């Protein structure tokens, strides 16, 4: 069990056990939230990612947070939107589930997510929000640890989409 909330802000300042990074399969950084997290964490984050030799879409890898206020960073490559007929929905759900599982395996009880795949990767925001909210709430119902999960939306349009997705659930 646990709680899920949507907030608006900058995930790099989250003082939580783990923040999730919308990475790419190289795990070697990029733009968007990936770039912001690497800039805030410092060069040790990049060095910690190199040994993974990348990560498949839908899986996740965990590193310390280094100079971030968050203890851990969970790097998960979301699916690139290719029209919706290439397993994108299942892969996006897998990112959330895999990241949550990895977080609790490392004793995390507060986890912040960005809006995976809805930036550079072009995933339609309303579809991504519905998948994320459904996956997170189903996972919270199934596990017996108490976890606080938040979606940290960078802008008001994203926040509204995830809040609407939450409303659609109840
Ligand atoms: N805090 C929270 N959310 C943020 C922040 C931030 N500091 N900066 C950006 N975002 C938001 C974006 O506004 C978007 O809503 O993160 C969401 C995901 O967008 P992207 O960062 O573009 O991630 P994604 O669409 O998953 O594409 C991943 O982009 O940066 C590259 O290396 C990354 O190749 C990968 C691809």
């Amino acid at each position: 069990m646990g709680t899920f909330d949507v907030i608006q802000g900058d995930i790099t300042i989250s003082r939580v056990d783990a923040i999730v990074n919308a990475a790419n399969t190289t795990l070697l950084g990029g733009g968007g939230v990936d770039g912001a997290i690497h800039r805030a964490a410092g060069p040790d984050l990049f060095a910690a990612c190199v040994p993974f030799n990348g990560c498949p879409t839908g899986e996740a890898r965990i590193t310390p947070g280094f100079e971030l206020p968050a203890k851990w960073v969970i790097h998960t490559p979301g699916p690139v939107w290719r029209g919706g007929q290439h397993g994108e929905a299942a892969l996006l759900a897998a990112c959330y589930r895999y990241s949550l599982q990895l977080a609790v395996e490392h004793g995390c009880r507060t986890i912040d997510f960005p809006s995976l795949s809805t930036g550079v990767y072009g995933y339609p925001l309303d579809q991504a929000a519905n998948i994320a909210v459904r996956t997170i709430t189903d996972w919270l119902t199934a596990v017996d640890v108490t976890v606080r999960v938040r979606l940290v939306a960078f802008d008001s349009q994203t926040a509204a989409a995830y809040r609407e997705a939450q409303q659609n659930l109840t």
Side-chain angles (χ1 to χ4, degrees):
M1 62 280 202
T3 60
F4 173 66
D5 295 292
V6 180
I7 64 168
Q8 186 172 335
D10 171 359
I11 202 167
T12 65
I13 67 171
S14 287
R15 192 167 296 283
V16 293
D17 290 338
I19 62 169
V20 177
N21 179 23
N24 59 56
T25 53
T26 71
L27 288 197
L28 298 180
V33 69
D34 194 3
I37 287 172
H38 275 272
R39 278 192 299 279
D44 289 344
L45 186 63
F46 177 87
C49 287
V50 169
F52 291 124
N53 197 23
C55 177
T57 300
E59 295 190 15
R61 301 292 183 267
I62 190 166
T63 66
F66 298 107
E67 294 165 46
L68 286 163
K71 290 193 200 88
W72 301 95
V73 181
I74 292 172
H75 308 261
T76 186
V80 177
W81 179 254
R82 296 166 57 200
Q85 306 304 317
H86 297 81
E88 296 96 321
L91 284 167
L92 185 61
C95 286
Y96 284 98
R97 255 194 315 274
Y98 201 113
S99 299
L100 287 164
Q101 201 52 41
L102 199 51
V104 293
E105 283 166 10
H106 282 75
C108 299
R109 292 294 177 269
T110 51
I111 304 150
D112 279 1
F113 281 94
S115 172
L116 298 176
S117 282
T118 64
V120 165
Y121 279 3
Y123 211 112
L125 181 54
D126 55 338
Q127 293 184 52
N130 284 321
I131 289 165
V133 170
R134 162 69 65 204
T135 304
I136 291 165
T137 44
D138 285 354
W139 185 87
L140 286 171
T141 309
V143 295
D144 58 4
V145 290
T146 303
V147 184
R148 188 198 77 184
V149 181
R150 299 187 307 184
L151 189 290
V152 181
F154 203 44
D155 55 67
S156 58
Q157 185 198 357
T158 301
Y162 281 81
R163 288 182 177 131
E164 189 179 337
Q166 231 182 345
Q167 290 305 316
N168 294 343
L169 263 192
T170 50

